[in-house]
Amino acid sequence: MTAETIEIEPVPFAYPQCGPLLRKKDVANCIAAAGVPLDLARGRAQTYARKGLIFTRERGENGWDSRLYEFHDAATAVVLSALHDAGISDSDVTARAAEACYAWNPDAASRDAKYKRDGGHLPPHPITRAVVGTAFAGESWIFNLDVWRNAQTEDRLICADLLRGGDESQPFPNPPEGFLPMCAVSMTLDHLLAPVARLLRPEGLH
């Protein structure tokens, strides 16, 4: 599978709202908490929403500034902003990173079974579990990114993974012959997710 063109598929949001609905300024404040200048953080928040890298929960009536988000979306924006600060703004890479925050990876199903809630259900998104884990369970969460390239075909493979510290990472499953690792990025998310976690209402986590 190549990753030159990536589209993020929306997932159904048939679950109770968890935490307050957020405006763009709230998402920007979460980004800015890591030291990003506020004007730049506002621009990043809007860019991520316009490109579909973070989901909009309610569209509002007055353009982008009135759209509403949940904490999962703010947390994903924070991860994307950290990659941006590292100089990673390639559209395919950021799309794969956003997908890893929102979509559970079937190749990591046996590992991710550990992240199920009481009752046997996974949280809506991996980033949901990361925020709640760092905020309320004393866990550490890590975001990993790996890029592979085939020198003969020029195809590129991008693997992004979100996991709890101490759990087994999920590398790209059996890269086809001819693909070689080009780069790897690993980020500890604990301090980055802290501003998002502070927005949560504890009663919404049950």
Side-chain angles (χ1 to χ4, degrees):
M1 180 180 67
T2 65
E4 298 300 335
T5 301
I6 300 172
E7 294 183 1
I8 301 175
E9 293 293 333
V11 297
F13 299 117
Y15 57 86
Q17 177 188 332
C18 181
L21 286 172
L22 310 175
R23 297 191 179 275
K24 186 183 78 172
K25 66 182 180 73
D26 301 310
V27 177
N29 286 338
C30 289
I31 294 173
V36 177
L38 186 55
D39 285 346
L40 180 57
R42 291 192 187 106
R44 287 182 180 179
Q46 182 157 317
T47 296
Y48 301 153
R50 283 185 182 276
K51 291 184 175 181
L53 295 171
I54 63 172
F55 295 150
T56 300
R57 307 296 165 156
E58 293 184 19
R59 295 190 180 276
E61 299 178 354
N62 299 311
W64 290 97
D65 286 341
S66 65
R67 296 192 175 203
L68 299 177
Y69 308 89
E70 289 188 13
F71 77 91
H72 335 263
D73 314 309
T76 299
V78 165
V79 172
L80 294 173
S81 180
L83 289 175
H84 226 135
D85 274 354
I88 300 173
S89 57
D90 178 275
S91 60
D92 293 327
V93 174
T94 53
R96 183 66 73 204
E99 183 181 54
C101 290
Y102 279 116
W104 292 99
N105 182 357
D107 293 318
S110 59
R111 180 201 67 193
D112 292 349
K114 303 176 184 177
Y115 307 149
K116 290 182 179 180
R117 295 174 174 172
D118 294 339
H121 300 290
L122 284 169
H125 315 290
I127 196 68
T128 310
R129 183 64 180 78
V131 175
V132 173
T134 56
F136 299 98
E139 297 172 348
S140 180
W141 278 74
I142 298 167
F143 175 87
N144 288 333
L145 177 72
D146 296 278
V147 179
W148 304 66
R149 178 71 82 173
N150 187 312
Q152 301 300 317
T153 65
E154 300 182 352
D155 287 337
R156 180 172 60 165
L157 299 175
I158 304 167
C159 178
D161 189 29
L162 198 64
L163 69 153
R164 183 173 55 191
D167 289 342
E168 181 181 359
S169 62
Q170 179 63 38
F172 197 90
N174 301 318
E177 184 177 355
F179 280 86
L180 297 174
M182 301 301 294
C183 73
V185 176
S186 184
M187 300 190 302
T188 300
L189 301 180
D190 307 8
H191 67 289
L192 293 172
L193 297 180
V196 180
R198 286 195 289 269
L199 298 173
L200 294 180
R201 294 196 302 263
E203 63 272 16
L205 300 174
H206 298 300

